[in-house]
Amino acid sequence: MKVAFLGTGLMGLPMAQRLLEANVQLIAYNRTPEKLAPLQAAGAEIAAKPYQAISEAEYVILMLTNSAAIYSVLLSDRSWHTLAGRTVIQMGTITPRESKEIRDAVAAVGGEYIEAPVLGSIPEAKTGKLIVMVGAQQQQYQRHLELLKHFGSNPVLVGSVGTAAALKLALNQLIASLTTAFALSLGFAQREGVNVDTFMQILRQSALYAPTFDKKLQRMLDGNYANPNFPTKHLMKDTDLFIDEAKSVGLNVSSIEGVREILEMAMKMSFADDDYSSLFSAINLEH
């Protein structure tokens, strides 16, 4: 088995490293070649162009920023025609509609396509403990299960292509909304003179608690958003995707539109490349 890994950013790099650690043959491509140095040092082949990576491999894993990047890297004329007989596994966050369109484009030249977006961040990517959600037919899922297990021990078949993409967006909406709600309550408690330890002690004992609150608490208290596992700009992108998709199926999106305004404020405060817990600073503006 040989895998072409396209997109070695914050998540793609540790995921590709997992494959190398498992002695999977790997050829990697990234639009910023400097990011490939750790993989090359660990034994991966490096491709200067996407089509070169695709033509050498049986599997093509995509961990790219958005659908526009997928179209430019995978579905350019030169790359697209090399997909015949290969399996494309799309693991980034895109919409169900985009995923189906890419599936149809891959199928049109005789390739196979499944989606397998992941939940988790860099620590889980490094340890192979991501939650892998699969959109595929049952037989495709079974055929590619062993490869997907390198990223998470129990990949879950959600349904056909599009369903896993939808589930991923639904979960990322929760990331944005839960973190914003927690930041607002934390800021309010602080302003009203409530001891933070007392606030957390009560919260942890309640049905309202989510583990993500403790993961983000210290960053918010310290105002330290450096070295992100998930940057604000990526959560902003996913929030926009969710809003568009949720509107298209007739849902009331007022709550997440409010969250989007706060994310936009954090972006304007120059936190785009910092951890998304920076939205606390957008909520907790000095008065």
Side-chain angles (χ1 to χ4, degrees):
M1 183 198 305
K2 190 168 186 179
V3 174
F5 206 106
L6 310 183
T8 59
L10 285 176
M11 288 290 286
L13 178 61
M15 289 170 69
Q17 286 169 328
R18 288 285 306 172
L19 296 178
L20 287 173
E21 287 163 11
N23 295 315
V24 174
Q25 275 192 292
L26 192 77
I27 182 166
Y29 167 80
N30 196 74
R31 285 181 293 182
T32 309
E34 294 77 22
K35 292 183 179 178
L36 293 165
L39 293 176
Q40 189 169 25
E45 288 181 59
I46 301 303
K49 301 287 183 184
Y51 68 85
Q52 293 169 341
I54 295 165
S55 63
E56 298 246 341
E58 300 151 71
Y59 293 90
V60 181
I61 292 179
L62 306 177
M63 201 62 188
L64 298 161
T65 309
N66 52 30
S67 64
I70 294 172
Y71 272 87
S72 68
V73 169
L74 186 78
L75 300 178
S76 67
D77 285 345
R78 192 78 184 261
S79 294
W80 185 43
H81 292 294
T82 60
L83 291 174
R86 290 168 175 81
T87 298
V88 175
I89 304 176
Q90 198 299 113
M91 303 191 76
T93 304
I94 59 175
T95 68
R97 176 181 46 79
E98 289 167 340
S99 195
K100 291 172 188 173
E101 286 174 358
I102 294 162
R103 173 199 62 195
D104 294 346
V106 170
V109 287
E112 180 182 33
Y113 174 93
I114 69 171
E115 60 185 14
V118 296
L119 192 66
S121 54
I122 296 168
E124 291 78 20
K126 285 180 175 176
T127 54
K129 293 180 179 176
L130 292 166
I131 298 171
V132 183
M133 299 161 277
V134 186
Q137 300 304 313
Q138 177 72 41
Q139 69 272 22
Q140 292 176 308
Y141 168 75
Q142 293 295 342
R143 205 161 60 244
H144 306 309
L145 189 56
E146 290 309 309
L147 177 56
L148 293 173
K149 279 183 176 178
H150 291 300
F151 308 114
S153 60
N154 186 32
V156 176
L157 178 61
V158 181
S160 58
V161 168
T163 58
L167 177 53
K168 169 64 170 161
L169 283 182
L171 293 167
N172 278 24
Q173 188 277 146
L174 272 179
I175 293 173
S177 292
L178 280 175
T179 308
T180 304
F182 173 67
L184 181 57
S185 289
L186 175 63
F188 181 74
Q190 284 181 308
R191 295 271 173 107
E192 294 293 331
V194 177
N195 181 277
V196 170
D197 289 341
T198 305
F199 168 68
M200 292 305 299
Q201 179 188 346
I202 298 294
L203 180 56
R204 290 185 192 111
Q205 294 176 50
S206 76
L208 305 171
Y209 177 71
T212 189
F213 299 160
D214 266 310
K215 285 190 175 181
K216 297 303 175 187
L217 175 63
Q218 204 58 49
R219 278 189 177 276
M220 291 179 181
L221 294 178
D222 295 344
N224 177 10
Y225 312 121
N227 302 311
N229 289 331
F230 190 24
T232 306
K233 65 182 179 184
H234 288 173
L235 187 56
M236 179 76 167
K237 183 266 293 186
D238 295 348
T239 298
D240 281 337
L241 293 180
F242 177 85
I243 289 171
D244 287 346
E245 290 297 299
K247 277 182 177 175
S248 75
V249 294
L251 293 171
N252 183 332
V253 294
S254 300
S255 61
I256 189 64
E257 283 179 331
V259 169
R260 189 197 179 282
E261 288 181 22
I262 292 161
L263 284 167
E264 191 171 35
M265 174 74 75
M267 298 271 285
K268 287 176 180 172
M269 294 168 70
S270 302
F271 292 127
D273 294 308
D274 294 305
D275 190 83
Y276 67 88
S277 53
S278 62
L279 55 78
F280 180 72
S281 288
I283 287 172
N284 210 39
L285 294 167
E286 295 301 320
H287 51 209

